[in-house]
Amino acid sequence: MLTIYDIAKITGFSPTTVSKVINNYPDVSDKTRNKIKKALVESGFKPNAQAQFLSTKKTWTIGVVYYEGVGIGLAHPFFSYVIQAFKHRVEEYGYSLLFGSKTDRLKNSTFLEYFKYSRVDGIVIISTEEGNKETEEIINSDFPCVIIDIRNNNAATVSSDNEKGCKLAIDYLYELGHRKIAHISGGFGDRNWSSTTRIKCYKEAMNNLGLNVPNGYIADGVNFDYSGGYSAMKKLLKLKDRPTAVFAAGDKLALGAIAAIRDEGMNVPDDFSVIGFDDIELARYVTPGLTTIRQNSTELGRSAADILVEQINQKKKLTVNNVIPVELVKRDSCRKIN
Amino acid sequence: MLTIYDIAKITGFSPTTVSKVINNYPDVSDKTRNKIKKALVESGFKPNAQAQFLSTKKTWTIGVVYYEGVGIGLAHPFFSYVIQAFKHRVEEYGYSLLFGSKTDRLKNSTFLEYFKYSRVDGIVIISTEEGNKETEEIINSDFPCVIIDIRNNNAATVSSDNEKGCKLAIDYLYELGHRKIAHISGGFGDRNWSSTTRIKCYKEAMNNLGLNVPNGYIADGVNFDYSGGYSAMKKLLKLKDRPTAVFAAGDKLALGAIAAIRDEGMNVPDDFSVIGFDDIELARYVTPGLTTIRQNSTELGRSAADILVEQINQKKKLTVNNVIPVELVKRDSCRKIN
DNA sequence: CTGTTAGCGCATTCAA
DNA sequence: TTGAATGCGCTAACAG
């Protein structure tokens, strides 16, 4: 591979001048600049990013943290859209994405260690448990960072307006005449912020309408997953005072719940109304079309990117909690009763 | 951040010796080794990856190429699983994933240029069009690379046994009594290998059974997408000699097709049998459960990782075309007729 | 406007 | 068994 020394030799100028041309310094004559630029293009020269970093301390790289253990992986039907939007936005700023790894080679047990090694300019965390040690470690480090899908007083975060979303869902079911409304939660015990928040807001929304939440009306959907929704719904179906409607904390949960209802020989929306959360791509392609609360994945990603880059540029960590609006998307999985 | 010079000062040894300890060189006394190791751990020292590279020429980084323009993005419900498996496998070897970017900052118009800049050790390409210029450029470069979901005589590739998959699908429908079997293709004109291969194998399988393929029986599903399947099915429904079964080149296509059938007031599998390809996660959670040809995403990813790392280690490009078995998964979207 | 010099942090000779 | 010297490719301070 060519170096700036090679270009210097070819053009007869010094490596410094070549470097200046590459980095658009003003103090180079047009004549020289053009000559060097020409050589640069003709030779297909690419600067060496690692060597650049050694001088500039900037890798133009953002580290990405997924906690796959809790089902939030690359393949997540909702967060993958968020990270895609995030990627596009940071690319506009000139950054690329590096995925955090724990490898034997580095004997690194945490993401932070990996990012220290690879010297990323900033870190984005996709959905974390509250109080997660790795997350705390990153928040307390010098790395600029942003966390998606949680709120935290000591960090920059971006999350959906869960409060509003839950209220929209419950109020809508109420409008349709439902009074017995159950909730399938995202699970993870009390560690998952989205899950606990939606449970809390579900209760509040019920309360505001004067509805009570009988025992067993909050069913644990485990990993925000199809199978979690499936088994949670099975439990709800065993209740002697069955609900007429179910508000699921995620679309996968809702789809799992619908599968469970179907397996019991019943039908949505005739026997149960089901409403989800997220609006994943296929929500509109299933039968029945899934009524849900749409989270704006694009805006979540973009906003996270903006906050992160702002911190990098300002060289200081910010503590803002951006909240992104949600909306109710009516399809066919809920119906009017009575 | 600490450097090996700092560790040298702390322990009283030279930077060289510290480096030797870090890299497990044998010619260091146990006493010295232990002292330095202790200091390393206590100080939380992490070597600087960029500086390391400058000496070793190895970044321990794999570049990832997605062609988002053709709908194969981070958020793809099938390939995201493949890349996840790939990631896990390369991590076992000590590598991390860097996503290829085209940024204004680098004025780079191709992925190859970006990877030259960032000096990745190898490149993985997720599903490419045949003859794609960027792909060709990478194949012809010095970078070890592997391409998923295509076959090519000049490169290392990993793909599913599409031939077998199509045959399984058509034979199964035949067994169920279907004779009028249509195909919804993946689209992309003639540039997408999976799409064209499945069209070809669909025809062959039909031929082998003595079935003919009437005009209009191959409908273009555009981007392997829900909406493509939806509109393709709409066209099939307008045929005067309607098929009784549809073999879709992808699960998203199949789900889109089912939605179209439903929108016309009809039903799967009563009015049409539909079989997909991929076995994406939710295939089993939709109504009806989608019968499909399962591609082994884990094995695709693992195999790709293995071939790529082998090329890196051997320092030479290989040209192998690994083919991963597929299987028929029977659910409820197909039924016996007559 | 151009070039000389030094240094970023590490691994690798090669002496000692 | 240890360490001094050198180079990887680049940018930045400074001098001319």
Side-chain angles (χ1 to χ4, degrees), chain A residues 33 43 50 71 108 177 286:
Chain A
R33 186 185 305 278
S43 64
Q50 279 73 21
N108 67 320
V286 290

Side-chain angles (χ1 to χ4, degrees), chain A residues 65 98 100-120 123 133-134 137-138 141 143, chain B residues 1 40-49 96:
Chain A
V65 172
L98 178 71
S101 305
K102 302 181 183 178
T103 78
D104 283 346
R105 180 177 65 86
L106 297 172
K107 306 183 217 60
N108 67 320
S109 49
T110 69
F111 287 116
L112 180 58
E113 284 179 339
Y114 177 70
F115 292 135
K116 277 187 179 170
Y117 167 74
S118 55
R119 304 300 204 266
V120 295
I123 298 173
K133 269 184 195 165
E134 289 218 48
E137 214 182 52
I138 292 171
S141 77
F143 284 102
Chain B
M1 292 263 170
L40 250 23
V41 171
E42 283 176 358
S43 64
F45 171 83
K46 284 285 148 197
N48 181 310
S96 301

Side-chain angles (χ1 to χ4, degrees), chain A residues 48-243:
Chain A
N48 182 309
Q50 279 73 21
Q52 260 180 349
F53 165 79
L54 222 46
S55 291
T56 61
K57 302 286 157 222
K58 201 162 164 62
T59 55
W60 290 101
T61 281
I62 307 269
V64 180
V65 172
Y66 275 110
Y67 292 115
E68 294 186 0
V70 295
I72 312 291
L74 270 171
H76 191 283
F78 176 71
F79 287 113
S80 60
Y81 280 95
V82 176
I83 199 62
Q84 187 164 277
F86 179 87
K87 173 173 185 276
H88 290 158
R89 187 62 159 190
V90 294
E91 280 177 357
E92 291 177 20
Y93 292 111
Y95 294 90
S96 301
L97 259 40
L98 178 71
F99 277 69
S101 305
K102 302 181 183 178
T103 78
D104 283 346
R105 180 177 65 86
L106 297 172
K107 306 183 217 60
N108 67 320
S109 49
T110 69
F111 287 116
L112 180 58
E113 284 179 339
Y114 177 70
F115 292 135
K116 277 187 179 170
Y117 167 74
S118 55
R119 304 300 204 266
V120 295
D121 292 334
I123 298 173
V124 57
I125 301 174
I126 320 289
S127 189
T128 180
E129 302 162 301
E130 289 190 278
N132 177 290
K133 269 184 195 165
E134 289 218 48
T135 300
E136 296 286 332
E137 214 182 52
I138 292 171
I139 291 175
N140 296 326
S141 77
D142 291 331
F143 284 102
C145 76
V146 61
I147 315 180
I148 293 171
D149 199 41
I150 200 172
R151 291 179 206 156
N152 183 308
N153 290 329
N154 306 311
T157 71
V158 178
S159 56
S160 281
D161 191 342
N162 284 302
E163 297 77 358
K164 179 77 175 300
C166 296
K167 194 169 156 33
L168 281 172
I170 304 300
D171 286 358
Y172 176 60
L173 291 171
Y174 186 90
E175 258 176 52
L176 293 178
H178 295 276
R179 298 297 178 265
K180 298 179 182 177
I181 305 173
H183 179 55
I184 296 180
S185 78
F188 304 115
D190 57 353
R191 306 282 305 282
N192 182 279
W193 180 80
S194 290
S195 181
T196 53
T197 302
R198 290 173 197 167
I199 290 173
K200 197 191 71 190
C201 297
Y202 155 75
K203 286 181 186 164
E204 281 173 13
M206 293 290 278
N207 232 351
N208 285 342
L209 296 169
L211 304 178
N212 71 328
V213 178
N215 253 348
Y217 261 45
I218 300 181
D220 189 331
V222 196
N223 263 3
F224 270 104
D225 213 332
Y226 297 116
S227 59
Y230 186 92
S231 55
M233 190 67 218
K234 287 275 186 179
K235 279 181 201 151
L236 291 176
L237 289 172
K238 284 194 188 116
L239 259 34
K240 49 177 192 248
D241 186 25
R242 277 185 181 168

